[in-house]
């Protein structure tokens, strides 16, 4: 895993590995625009970040990238479309935690199999946070816990799907702190979830730091605690759950993939183009401004990362199912 500020050595190695020597495929590719499948709704955190990334990737790849939102089944519908697309190098897609954890674990979409994907790299890796509206009476995590203990089941924490990337952390924090809350899903993504938080429809939100960062910067929201191993560099004044005595550590990620069977030379071109985005000063500035959590891993590293994440997450969900907290 490589942060976007430390890319030059890895890029040089990748460039040397590209098979440009005699093949016309790599030299001519890409010869037309790419189609990018976004399995979450327009305007959400993932949609915003990945559209931004793809805009920069158009520069490094030298072609247009057209994003299409195909939502449903906690990203499963769009990701299945990616799996079934022709592996001709012209269809790519964004993946999130739900795409590789929630959907396959619960079997939400028939015919869905992550082995039908070829991972091209990562764009972000970010800790989960617990956030409230700026007008909320809860100034700290201690305040929120005390209120929840005083009124069991009355306070609400939103997520983007039951058993998913931000529901599991909320369940974990409730278990760790000994509180009972109402978990409210917004399966269309972090956009509707964030709006519900800002409008006062929910009391708190379990979501990615990047998804709420703009609202924090504008004074519309407040983060009570971070579920990372250490404080976020973008939220340096916000304590971690671990600092406050709760062993609650969770995070999310955004990845890029293609259908299984893509030509190795095309895959190498795409990987290099995506990696080079992390070297663009404009992208570095945007990533810092938005607390994007930009982290590059190449295809091989991403594949290993997903395998480890699946193993860990499936074991945790199995445990929650055994306790009766979740149903499979």
């Amino acid at each position: 895993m490589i942060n976007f500020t430390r890319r030059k050595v890895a890029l040089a190695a990748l460039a040397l590995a590209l098979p440009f020597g005699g093949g016309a495929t790599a030299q001519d590719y890409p010869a037309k625009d790419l189609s990018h499948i976004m399995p979450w709704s327009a305007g959400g955190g993932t949609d915003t970040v990945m559209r931004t990334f793809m805009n920069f990737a158009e520069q490094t790849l030298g072609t247009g990238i057209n994003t299409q939102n195909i939502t449903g089944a906690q990203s499963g519908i769009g990701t299945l479309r990616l799996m079934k697309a022709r592996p001709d190098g012209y269809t790519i897609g964004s993946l999130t935690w739900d795409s590789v954890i929630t959907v396959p674990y619960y079997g939400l979409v028939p015919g869905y199999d992550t082995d039908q994907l070829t991972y091209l790299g990562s764009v972000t890796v970010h800790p989960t946070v617990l956030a409230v509206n700026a007008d909320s009476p809860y100034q700290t995590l201690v305040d929120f816990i005390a209120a929840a203990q005083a009124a069991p089941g009355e306070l609400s924490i939103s997520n983007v799907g039951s058993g998913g990337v931000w529901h599991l952390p909320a369940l974990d924090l409730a278990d760790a702190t000994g509180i009972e809350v109402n978990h409210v899903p917004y399966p269309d993504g972090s956009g509707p979830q964030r709006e519900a938080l800002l409008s006062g429809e929910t009391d708190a939100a379990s979501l990615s730091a990047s998804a709420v960062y703009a609202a924090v910067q504008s004074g519309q929201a407040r983060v009570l605690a971070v579920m990372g191993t250490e404080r976020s560099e973008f939220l340096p004044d916000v304590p971690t759950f671990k600092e406050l005595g709760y062993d609650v550590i969770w995070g999310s990620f955004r990845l890029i993939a293609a259908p299984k069977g893509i030509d190795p030379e095309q895959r190498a071109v795409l990987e290099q183009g995506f990696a080079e985005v992390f070297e663009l000063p404009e992208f570095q500035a945007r990533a810092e401004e938005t607390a994007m959590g930009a982290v590059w891993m190449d295809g091989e590293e991403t594949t290993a990362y997903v395998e480890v994440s699946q193993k860990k997450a499936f074991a945790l969900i199995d445990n929650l199912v055994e306790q009766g907290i979740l149903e499979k």
Side-chain angles (χ1 to χ4, degrees):
M1 186 184 301
I2 304 174
N3 188 279
F4 68 83
T5 58
R6 301 193 298 277
R7 288 295 310 142
K8 293 184 179 179
V9 173
L11 280 175
L14 180 58
L16 289 173
L18 285 172
F20 284 123
T25 301
Q27 293 174 350
D28 298 339
Y29 174 80
K32 60 181 181 179
D33 289 355
L34 303 181
S35 175
H36 167 231
I37 295 176
M38 165 51 59
W40 293 103
S41 60
T46 294
D47 179 76
T48 300
V49 167
M50 297 307 289
R51 282 179 184 268
T52 297
F53 181 83
M54 293 303 168
N55 286 339
F56 285 107
E58 288 182 330
Q59 301 176 35
T60 58
L61 287 169
T63 192
I65 302 176
N66 303 315
T67 297
Q68 180 182 13
N69 295 84
I70 303 175
T71 64
Q74 294 181 228
S75 81
I77 301 300
T79 305
L80 181 66
R81 181 78 63 86
L82 174 65
M83 294 173 178
K84 301 301 182 183
R86 289 179 58 193
D88 59 3
Y90 288 96
T91 301
I92 59 174
S94 291
L95 307 176
T96 60
W97 168 285
D98 287 310
S99 311
V100 299
I101 304 293
T102 310
V103 179
Y105 182 89
Y106 290 98
L108 299 183
V109 179
Y112 193 100
D113 183 356
T114 54
D115 287 341
Q116 299 178 53
L117 298 170
T118 296
Y119 300 102
L120 301 173
S122 70
V123 175
T124 71
V125 178
H126 224 294
T128 305
V129 303
L130 182 69
V132 296
N133 189 301
D135 296 328
S136 169
Y138 315 121
Q139 298 295 320
T140 66
L141 180 64
V142 173
D143 293 340
F144 186 84
I145 293 173
Q149 290 174 333
E154 292 189 15
L155 296 189
S156 59
I157 300 178
S158 66
N159 59 72
V160 291
S162 298
V165 59
W166 294 327
H167 184 210
L168 292 177
L171 287 170
D172 194 23
L173 80 84
D175 182 62
T177 59
I179 61 175
E180 181 182 343
V181 296
N182 180 25
H183 299 276
V184 183
Y186 289 85
D188 285 333
S190 61
Q193 180 195 20
R194 184 176 58 248
E195 289 307 311
L197 177 71
L198 299 183
S199 69
E201 186 174 311
T202 56
D203 296 302
S206 170
L207 73 177
S208 167
S210 63
V212 76
Y213 185 71
V216 171
Q217 289 293 91
S218 65
Q220 296 177 287
R222 179 169 56 254
V223 174
L224 301 184
V226 177
M227 301 181 193
T229 55
E230 57 186 28
R231 293 194 180 197
S232 168
E233 62 179 306
F234 302 107
L235 300 166
D237 297 326
V238 179
T240 65
F241 276 81
K242 201 168 184 67
E243 281 181 65
L244 299 173
Y246 305 107
D247 190 20
V248 179
I249 301 174
W250 291 85
S252 58
F253 46 78
R254 300 183 180 98
L255 315 174
I256 310 172
K260 182 179 179 179
I262 184 174
D263 183 274
E265 292 188 2
Q266 292 179 330
R267 175 180 179 177
V269 170
L270 291 173
E271 282 194 40
Q272 182 178 8
F274 293 142
E276 287 177 348
V277 170
F278 285 74
E279 286 298 295
L280 297 175
E282 298 89 347
F283 176 74
Q284 293 184 17
R286 181 69 64 84
E288 184 171 350
E289 290 169 3
T290 59
M292 187 183 293
V295 174
W296 170 253
M297 294 182 285
D298 63 24
E300 184 177 349
E301 292 173 311
T302 301
T303 300
Y305 181 81
V306 169
E307 290 175 353
V308 171
S309 297
Q310 287 179 326
K311 183 177 180 181
K312 175 184 176 182
F314 292 165
L316 288 171
I317 302 173
D318 281 341
N319 185 44
L320 291 171
V321 170
E322 289 177 6
Q323 294 180 48
I325 298 174
L326 291 177
E327 292 184 5
K328 183 174 181 180

